[in-house]
Amino acid sequence: MSVPYWRLSGFYFCYFATLGAFLPFWSLYLKQVGFVATEIGELTAFLVATKIIAPNYWGWLADKTGRNLSLIRITSLLSVLCFAAFLYRSDYLWFAGVTVVFSFFWNATLPQFEAATLFHLKAEPQRYSHIRLWGSIGFIAAVLGIGRFLDYFSIAYLPWIIGGLMLLNWLMALMTPEAKPCRTHNEIGGIRQILLKPELLAFLLVYMLLQIAHGPYYVFYSVYLKQHGYSATETGLLWATGVAAEVLLFIAMRQLLKWFTPRTLLLWAVLLSILRWLLIADGVESLPLTIAAQILHAATFGVAHVVAMQLLYQYFGERHQSKGQALYSSISFGLGGMIGSLYSGYFWDLLGGRLVYIVAAMVCCLALLIAFIGVARETRPRLG
């Protein structure tokens, strides 16, 4: 089967365009509806918490049935239907319940599609980054387009925009063909044997720490910039700069994988993460240093994520790929993201933004040590 490049890319575009509509603007919508800061924080925590559980359940089901795309179509449709319930009522308990149910389906979608993409790319897996970059383009388009839209129209339209993008996401899932893994008996051991490998445990710990360090960036970076005199337009452009750098990285990643091993790229990504958080902590008054810190998003997220895809393919093979993607998502983006959001929230007023970002750099120092000792020392890249 030939690789359905544009259908895979289209799904990533729609999925991350939805995130581009959701992440920067949903808290503003909640505030407009009438929720106070503590309630907004709790609703956000509910959204992230389901990411710890949902990917593992759906990953187990996908590997058991071997039908990733069928499950993606189901979870994508249920995400749209559940999200529409936000338009029915606006009290806290209703929003909390809808958030939990909606995110249980929504947070299951991406890990399974990552596995499905790798199944399609089995003959040309090095093309992954060239497909995934369309997700970043979708995010940029949504952030800039919706930000401009909200300058002229009410934020009350936001749920309709997000729902429409989710509907497009479901349609792209319908258009994407199923790709079943080629399962061989000697490919990979049992899932329990894989999970007990020290290298996998080190890998998961490193990526959890990287997401903990990203916590204050995702939650408070816009606030931090505003505190230092940046306008809303400048803040939006800086966010877009980071994702644009990520796009360029995805374009170059295929060549980088020919020159360097995943281990080397991971170590450099973590090292540059340390530099990035220190630049944000002490260089925010300088626009050139702030831009440089945003460009480093190409390494701190882009390189790190592509390397994760390479290593997950090695660790879990095709037989357990859905469970592997789910585990990676729940431990890093779920548990790591939740811890990062909580620690940055607790310490932001107590320590100040500068020290919170210095703590993020220290967390990455620990991640660098663990990666150097335990990740991909003796493995060779299988994806590139």
Side-chain angles (χ1 to χ4, degrees), residues 327-368:
L327 183 64
Y328 163 69
S329 179
S330 62
I331 295 297
S332 60
F333 298 107
L335 183 59
M338 186 176 69
I339 294 173
S341 299
L342 290 175
Y343 104 79
S344 58
Y346 289 146
F347 291 111
W348 190 261
D349 290 331
L350 181 64
L351 300 178
R354 177 180 176 273
L355 287 179
V356 168
Y357 283 112
I358 289 176
V359 171
M362 294 172 61
V363 170
C364 287
C365 287
L366 179 58
L368 180 63

Side-chain angles (χ1 to χ4, degrees), residues 167-214:
L167 188 60
L168 289 176
N169 202 61
W170 172 61
L171 292 175
M172 289 305 306
L174 290 179
M175 295 170 59
T176 305
E178 189 79 62
K180 294 185 178 181
C182 298
R183 301 182 177 183
T184 59
H185 294 291
N186 58 357
E187 176 200 43
I188 284 288
I191 187 65
R192 184 175 300 179
Q193 178 184 350
I194 298 170
L195 294 177
L196 292 177
K197 289 183 177 180
E199 180 177 324
L200 176 62
L201 299 178
F203 165 86
L204 292 173
L205 184 55
V206 166
Y207 277 87
M208 183 186 75
L209 290 171
L210 287 177
Q211 287 306 308
I212 290 174
H214 274 79

Side-chain angles (χ1 to χ4, degrees), residues 126-134 136-137 140 240-260 265-266 268-269 272 294-310:
Q126 67 276 9
R127 295 178 62 186
Y128 168 80
S129 59
H130 284 190
I131 293 174
R132 173 59 178 79
L133 68 86
W134 286 98
S136 301
I137 294 173
I140 294 173
T241 297
V243 183
E246 176 187 307
V247 172
L248 296 176
L249 179 282
F250 284 142
I251 294 173
M253 197 68 193
R254 184 173 181 177
Q255 192 62 42
L256 289 175
L257 286 168
K258 294 179 180 178
W259 295 340
F260 304 103
L265 291 172
L266 176 60
W268 274 106
L272 291 174
Q294 284 301 90
I295 291 174
L296 287 176
H297 186 72
T300 65
F301 176 80
V303 173
H305 180 67
V306 174
V307 169
M309 295 301 103
Q310 315 296 305

Side-chain angles (χ1 to χ4, degrees), residues 222-337:
S222 296
V223 174
Y224 190 61
L225 292 175
K226 185 176 181 180
Q227 290 174 346
H228 289 83
Y230 289 84
S231 68
T233 300
E234 290 170 333
T235 298
L237 288 173
L238 284 168
W239 277 92
T241 297
V243 183
E246 176 187 307
V247 172
L248 296 176
L249 179 282
F250 284 142
I251 294 173
M253 197 68 193
R254 184 173 181 177
Q255 192 62 42
L256 289 175
L257 286 168
K258 294 179 180 178
W259 295 340
F260 304 103
T261 65
R263 170 182 167 80
T264 300
L265 291 172
L266 176 60
L267 293 177
W268 274 106
V270 181
L271 185 62
L272 291 174
S273 297
I274 299 170
L275 175 61
R276 185 187 187 192
W277 306 134
L278 292 177
L279 283 175
I280 291 177
D282 289 320
V284 68
E285 299 289 349
S286 167
L287 180 58
L289 290 179
T290 301
I291 293 174
Q294 284 301 90
I295 291 174
L296 287 176
H297 186 72
T300 65
F301 176 80
V303 173
H305 180 67
V306 174
V307 169
M309 295 301 103
Q310 315 296 305
L311 295 179
L312 284 168
Y313 196 83
Q314 292 181 40
Y315 297 147
F316 291 92
E318 293 187 344
R319 179 183 174 192
H320 301 295
Q321 189 61 212
S322 294
K323 288 192 281 285
Q325 292 287 344
L327 183 64
Y328 163 69
S329 179
S330 62
I331 295 297
S332 60
F333 298 107
L335 183 59

